Every structure is written in C-alpha cells, then in structure tokens.
Amino acid sequence: MAIPVAMSRSVIGGTSAAYTSSQTCVLTIDTVGYDHASIDVIGGPAASTSSVFQTLTLQQSDTEAGTYGNIAGFTGDMRPAAYAAQTATSQMTVSRIEVDLRGRQRYLRVQASPNTTTVIVVAARLSKAEEGGYDATTKGVRVNTAG
C-alpha cells in the first residue's frame, strides 16, 4: 500500500561530528497523530574489531521528559551482524527499525553509542497520519518538492 507523502513527517538526530565510545546519539520523537515510524540508524565506518554500536535501544514514554522504558520486541542486542565486519574502509551502513505506533506511548527515544569513534545519524519518518502536512515545516524538512 502506498503511503501518501503528504501524510508523513521527518525527524533527524545526530551531529556532524563523530561520537566517541563515551557519548550517545539520542533522538526523541513525538509520534502524536501518526500510526507508523520507520527509523534508520546510520553508523559510519569504524576501525573496530567489534560491532560499531555498543548500545542501540528503542524506548517509549508518555511525556518527553518522563521516564523511558524499553519496548518489548526492541530490547536486547539490536546490533545487526553487518556491523560486526565493518572496518575503517567500509561504507556507512543502515539499520532500519519499523514500529507500529498504535497502542504505544506518545514519545519514542532511540539511543545509539559506538564502540569506537564514528559518525552516527538517526533519521525517522513518521507516516499514516491522522492529518497530513503539506508544507516543508509540517513535514519536518527544509525544502519540500513534489512532481
């Protein structure tokens, strides 16, 4: 089933600088009015013999500043096997987390911490909206074009 672009919104987290093993990339997503989230966790090439992420978690809360709890089915080791073979010359890789938002708490939080210094970006697309945005601002982007 095609999802109309007008009924989606983008959210992104991360910085242009690399994260060290003592830092965490965090993205908090307000999901009110949407039924689905597709979240991409993008890890950069890393010179490590272990996986790029030491932690990758998905949590939820009723309030943005509230206490977040792990979501059943998304707990434990979400690090994909593809990261284990990454070396300093490897390309960036993407892990996608698909979330049915119906019956979930309002806020989602994704947390990703690297094993070694690398770039991390978390990008989410909320879709199946009750009401859709039709301009760049309500879609969460700087520029919106359609053809």
Side-chain angles (χ1 to χ4, degrees):
M1 176 176 127
I3 299 170
V5 176
M7 304 296 273
S8 67
R9 180 170 64 95
S10 297
V11 185
I12 191 165
T15 67
S16 59
Y19 289 86
T20 66
S21 60
S22 63
Q23 297 173 315
T24 302
C25 177
V26 178
L27 176 62
T28 301
I29 307 164
D30 184 351
T31 66
V32 71
Y34 295 89
D35 287 344
H36 184 264
S38 181
I39 304 166
D40 289 341
V41 184
I42 305 159
S48 176
T49 56
S50 57
S51 64
V52 171
F53 298 120
Q54 59 178 311
T55 62
L56 179 54
T57 59
L58 181 64
Q59 300 176 318
Q60 65 183 351
S61 176
D62 285 324
T63 61
E64 186 174 10
T67 301
Y68 284 78
N70 290 336
I71 300 175
F74 296 99
T75 59
D77 189 357
M78 291 198 316
R79 298 172 294 186
Y83 288 123
Q86 243 182 348
T87 65
T89 59
S90 295
Q91 296 179 349
M92 297 181 81
T93 56
V94 179
S95 288
R96 177 159 293 159
I97 305 168
E98 300 284 351
V99 186
D100 182 351
L101 299 173
R102 295 171 294 181
R104 298 239 179 260
Q105 295 175 352
R106 178 175 175 172
Y107 293 91
L108 292 181
R109 182 169 66 187
V110 180
Q111 298 183 116
S113 298
N115 271 318
T116 189
T117 302
T118 192
V119 174
I120 300 173
V121 175
V122 181
R125 164 90 34 108
L126 300 171
S127 59
K128 298 184 180 179
E130 294 170 4
E131 295 181 19
Y134 293 93
D135 63 8
T137 302
T138 57
K139 290 184 181 181
V141 297
R142 288 195 180 179
V143 177
N144 179 61
T145 60

